[in-house]
Amino acid sequence: MTRYRRGIIAVVVAAGMVGLTSCGPSRADLIPHDAPSGGQTLSEARSAIARIPGLTVDFQGGERPNIKGNTGYDIAVTVDPGYRIVDGPALVTFLTESAWSVRNGYLPNAQISLTVTDDPANGFDVAKAAAAAEWIEPRDPVPESEGFTVANVDTVEGSPARVRLGDWPGEVPAVPTGVTAAR
């Protein structure tokens, strides 16, 4: 076989490989997104969350999947001065179900991450609240970090939280009352 023929065969094989790897659906195409009905929009979820007094909430998510095909939501809660969280399990449930109910964007197929920044004197731990609400397994206490705590609700297919959440997008949860109180 001549050198010229080997070169042509190599080019044909390389082109075929590129064609095979680029013609299939991307991981993003396989993840449900932009449901035509049900649930609520991200804007509606943010508005509902904003009705809870004493909290400043940054609610982000639904973006295109990362290179591994993972999507999720990051919900950062800051407790305003003069307030405290008095019903952590209700807050965690509301935030988790709110994220699951957002129909625009991508289904959160990896996790819903909840962070809470609060006055350390209040002693609030979002992971304890998430465990009490049975969204995550209880864990050993983490050393205090200036009032910053984290809980990651696993929304991988088949996980207990995903089974509990049901079909996506989920029902829009009612805004809970009595979650916060003035100090």
Side-chain angles (χ1 to χ4, degrees):
M1 189 183 277
T2 69
R3 194 175 209 190
Y4 177 74
R5 280 190 165 161
R6 278 190 226 146
I8 290 175
I9 291 172
V11 168
V12 169
V13 168
M17 294 298 288
V18 168
L20 286 174
T21 59
S22 65
C23 289
S26 72
R27 287 185 185 193
D29 294 337
L30 302 174
I31 300 168
H33 59 90
D34 300 315
S37 63
Q40 63 185 332
T41 65
L42 181 57
S43 178
E44 290 167 334
R46 286 178 176 149
S47 292
I49 292 167
R51 288 186 282 196
I52 299 175
L55 301 180
T56 302
V57 181
D58 181 20
F59 188 95
Q60 301 294 323
E63 289 92 11
R64 190 166 178 79
N66 67 18
I67 193 141
K68 293 180 181 180
N70 295 331
T71 65
Y73 278 85
D74 294 313
I75 304 170
V77 176
T78 302
V79 180
D80 297 337
Y83 281 87
R84 61 191 172 87
I85 297 171
V86 294
D87 192 347
L91 177 64
V92 168
T93 296
F94 174 67
L95 294 175
T96 300
E97 290 176 351
S98 292
W100 190 255
S101 71
V102 174
R103 71 173 171 263
N104 57 318
Y106 285 82
L107 166 149
N109 71 352
Q111 70 180 15
I112 297 169
S113 177
L114 307 169
T115 61
V116 175
T117 303
D118 191 7
D119 181 341
N122 289 339
F124 182 77
D125 183 339
V126 72
K128 286 181 184 175
E134 299 180 347
W135 287 107
I136 65 172
E137 292 293 319
R139 63 170 172 75
D140 292 332
V142 176
E144 182 60 43
S145 179
E146 300 300 316
F148 180 82
T149 59
V150 178
N152 293 311
V153 177
D154 181 1
T155 58
V156 172
E157 192 166 344
S159 70
R162 175 87 170 253
V163 170
R164 178 176 171 185
L165 288 164
D167 293 334
W168 177 84
E171 295 291 320
V172 178
V175 179
T177 59
V179 170
T180 59
R183 286 194 282 171

